Amino acid sequence: MIKRIVILLLFLVPFNVKATEDNVFNSSGQCTILMDMDSKRILYADDIHTVRSIASITKIMTSILAIESGKINDTIKIGSEIRDAYGSGIYIKENEEMKLLDLVYGLMLRSGNDAALSIAKNVSGSVEDFVKLMNQKAIELGMKNTTFNNPSGLDTPKSNYSTAYDMALLTSYAMKNELYRKVTSTKKYTLKTNMNTYIWHNKNKLLNSYKYATGGKTGFTEIAKRTLVTTASKNNINLVVVTLNDGNDFLDHKKLYEETFDTFNNYQILKEGKIDIVDDNYYDNYEFYIKDNFSYPLNNNETNSIILNFKLEQKETVENNDVVGKVVVKLGDTNIYETEIYVNKIEKKQNFFSKLKKWFKNLW
């Protein structure tokens, strides 16, 4: 038997301090998405599932795979693979020695296509095998409309194709990695090798012009036109914007961030640990708990529309840490989150008279 208990949350406390609803979201990009990276809530969407060539924002995937490879601090020697590079580069040379991490900085800050080829060769043994790894990772992350054909994003011999939505998923995943966050937010990187000294400045202009910017990647080819991924954080709201074919991309991204930070607050809906469920008498000798926090961005018109739906299974036998149901969070009629409910038996403390009674009973 399953018992449902519904609670309407009327008093949510925001992490933010104020919100207004006087703003209008817009973008001049052909495809645009604005997503909260933590909850994956889409706050603005325009043609987000159309597949297009994505140019150098491809390198977000290349960099996170390099970081996760276990080889990131290995010193490598640049090989002949860079002979196939053209377009933007960091102009490394064959037999030059540097760490794989240095190549990732050159990849992300200066969009080095030579760095992309060298990363692929040193991570997977060949560019072809690295591309397979890219596509495997895309499937793992739920990027259903993405196909990678190279680690750089160049249009030849074959372009890489994705959607604004898929690239927002990828970026949300990558930003969970501390080293990736450090690399993508770096404004300037200096490197001295056995052959040269490099000073690389990040092409992401928002890092210098918008104080809440935290990272991202630029891109351009003749086929893809201007592509841009950026991230920004303020008052516990962590956002990503992706635009494909947007000639006014940096300004559009900044406007979308400002609109969101003015319009939305981040509310904590669920808190990890013990939870109280009213009107339940079946588990009188147990306490309920959940394992995760959950926060969600809401505007002022939505704060009275959050509903917690507790679904408890009335089990005949229960042990500590068993799952006995789940809590579903709804925004109006839409399910936005769910997590399992666990139980622990309450150890009732005996008072003096109970202990005395037990002592006399044991005497007989």
Side-chain angles (χ1 to χ4, degrees), residues 54-62 134 148 150-153 160:
I54 57 172
S56 284
I57 60 175
T58 291
K59 294 181 172 95
I60 297 171
M61 177 64 86
T62 303
M134 296 172 76
F148 292 108
N150 63 68
S152 64
N160 295 329

Side-chain angles (χ1 to χ4, degrees), residues 1-4 282-283 311-315 324:
M1 179 180 177
I2 296 178
K3 183 176 182 180
R4 289 180 171 84
Y282 188 81
Y283 292 103
K311 300 180 180 180
L312 296 176
E313 181 181 353
Q314 295 182 345
K315 295 184 174 181
V324 295

Side-chain angles (χ1 to χ4, degrees), residues 65-76 99-101 121-125:
L65 289 177
I67 289 169
E68 294 179 344
S69 68
K71 303 177 180 180
I72 193 64
N73 291 311
D74 289 0
T75 298
I76 62 174
K99 288 185 177 181
L100 184 64
L101 178 59
K121 173 71 179 302
N122 284 280
V123 168
S124 297

